[in-house]
Amino acid sequence: MTLLKLPGLADIHTHLRTPGGEHKETFTTGTAAALAGGFTTILAMPNTHPPLIDRSIIDQTRQKAQLAILCDVGLFAGASAHRLDDLPGLAAGTVGLKIYLNDTFGPLRVDDLPTLLACFRRWPRHKLIAMHAEGQSVAVGIGLAAAFRRPVHFCHISRKTEIELIAAAKQQGLPVTCEVTPHHLFLTRGDTDRLGPLGDMRPRLAEPEDVEALWRHISTTIDCIATDHAPHTLAEKQADPPPPGVPGLETALPLMLTAVHQGRLSLDRLVELMATNPRRIFNLPPQPDTFIEVDPRARHVISSENLFTLCGWTPFAGMTVTGRLVRTVLRGQTVFDANRPQKSQRLLAKPGTGKVLP
Ligand code: DOR
Ligand code: ZN
Ligand code: ZN
């Protein structure tokens, strides 16, 4: 067995559910899932209950995180039309501003131009703006990036038209970046019959031609792979309508290693997409003596049994993958060892091991 040593991965798009959704995931269970997936830094989204839109909630959430996290965690501030004056004061405790232009889980939504302009004027220029933008909302985001000459990062791009628009914007030299999720690379709308509510997320699964377009842009236009890890309980997913979202921290690396094995991208490109680029785009601090070991040839079947996410399921259960995480080392300490026979022995980090960023 030849093991590869890669840098600790960074997931710039995770839902950790604190405050208010701790029955779906906690800071400890979510960061456990991160370490089990090879991620040593994750950035948590602000669509919590209450959402991360004011200073006191962000400060309280940072304090809760510091006691509980097993890897490094940064928080996003959320944009809200009611809290525009507060925006500059939220930058110090967060890694970026998240603007939701389209409907998804939770109440955060900004879809009027006056609020968007205020966000771009008030959010400090040295901190990134990230957008949930689908369809023509991507064009709105590109227009704002051009008009304000400041970077905009597009979350979970999933359609051929969207990735082609971003490619065109990049060709014009506009400061835009984007991420794609493993579920939009490995599943299509055809899987929704089989998966039922477990295949429901925003953006929804797309057509094969969309997925093919994403793969065509994997070594050019796409900057990052991000999980959009969005845990909901199985009971919640049975509701009508189900809450949108799927967990992904523990399946992203084996899926992307499988794509390397199949010759769809190089291992160097995987490292750029899952470690180097996310760290550069979000200006994340280096983690000394931090790395993962993977066995690129280990074939196994993805199973819900082995997961550390509190929600306990994955839409990829039953899929055979090639490539497995063996060990995660954070600042010189082995924090996850997949070779231990008992699941309860594999996680070696204590709550508080991680740092809250920045
Ligand atoms: O499917 C999704 N679930 N998409 C999102 O944008 C939000 C997320 C969630 O928080 O559950
Ligand atoms: Zn989103
Ligand atoms: Zn999300």
Side-chain angles (χ1 to χ4, degrees), residues 13 98 100 104 132 155-156 202 228:
H13 192 149
K98 176 75 182 279
Y100 290 88
T104 182
H132 178 130
C155 300
H156 45 47
R202 300 293 176 279
D228 199 6

Side-chain angles (χ1 to χ4, degrees), residues 155-172:
C155 300
H156 45 47
I157 288 300
S158 65
R159 299 305 194 261
K160 178 172 184 278
T161 46
E162 297 167 355
I163 198 70
E164 289 178 351
L165 182 57
I166 289 175
K170 286 185 168 202
Q171 270 161 24
Q172 298 301 316

Side-chain angles (χ1 to χ4, degrees), residues 249-267:
L249 281 169
E250 293 164 89
T251 45
L253 178 62
L255 288 167
M256 294 311 295
L257 286 170
T258 303
V260 171
H261 177 76
Q262 294 167 341
R264 300 169 110 177
L265 76 164
S266 68
L267 186 67

Side-chain angles (χ1 to χ4, degrees), residues 169-347:
K170 286 185 168 202
Q171 270 161 24
Q172 298 301 316
L174 295 176
V176 295
T177 53
C178 72
E179 69 189 38
V180 167
T181 71
H183 50 266
H184 291 120
L185 286 169
F186 286 87
L187 300 171
T188 68
R189 210 158 70 91
D191 291 297
T192 50
D193 286 348
R194 177 176 63 84
L195 291 168
L198 302 190
D200 186 43
M201 76 292 286
R202 300 293 176 279
R204 290 186 169 88
L205 294 176
E207 300 299 332
E209 65 183 72
D210 295 307
V211 177
E212 284 158 22
L214 296 180
W215 282 111
R216 276 199 299 280
H217 286 264
I218 196 83
S219 296
T220 51
T221 314
I222 297 170
D223 296 284
C224 308
I225 298 296
T227 68
D228 199 6
H229 178 85
H232 299 286
T233 68
L234 276 174
E236 288 168 332
K237 288 297 254 182
Q238 304 309 319
D240 189 18
V246 294
L249 281 169
E250 293 164 89
T251 45
L253 178 62
L255 288 167
M256 294 311 295
L257 286 170
T258 303
V260 171
H261 177 76
Q262 294 167 341
R264 300 169 110 177
L265 76 164
S266 68
L267 186 67
D268 285 347
R269 185 64 185 158
L270 180 152
V271 170
E272 285 172 6
L273 291 167
M274 300 184 79
T276 328
N277 290 351
R279 287 182 188 283
R280 191 194 63 245
I281 291 166
F282 282 88
N283 198 18
L284 301 176
Q287 296 174 307
D289 299 324
T290 297
F291 60 91
I292 60 174
E293 285 173 353
V294 302
D295 180 351
R297 294 190 189 282
R299 262 168 76 85
H300 61 112
V301 178
I302 293 177
S303 148
S304 301
E305 309 288 301
N306 299 319
L307 300 176
F308 285 82
T309 173
L310 184 58
C311 76
W313 60 274
T314 164
F316 299 106
M319 192 184 271
T320 301
V321 285
T322 305
R324 169 174 163 269
L325 177 90
V326 174
R327 196 160 74 101
T328 304
V329 176
L330 175 60
R331 289 185 275 274
Q333 186 195 347
T334 297
V335 282
F336 187 81
D337 182 353
N339 280 337
R340 303 222 173 175
Q342 305 284 333
K343 185 182 166 193
S344 61
Q345 300 173 332
R346 291 177 202 152
L347 197 64

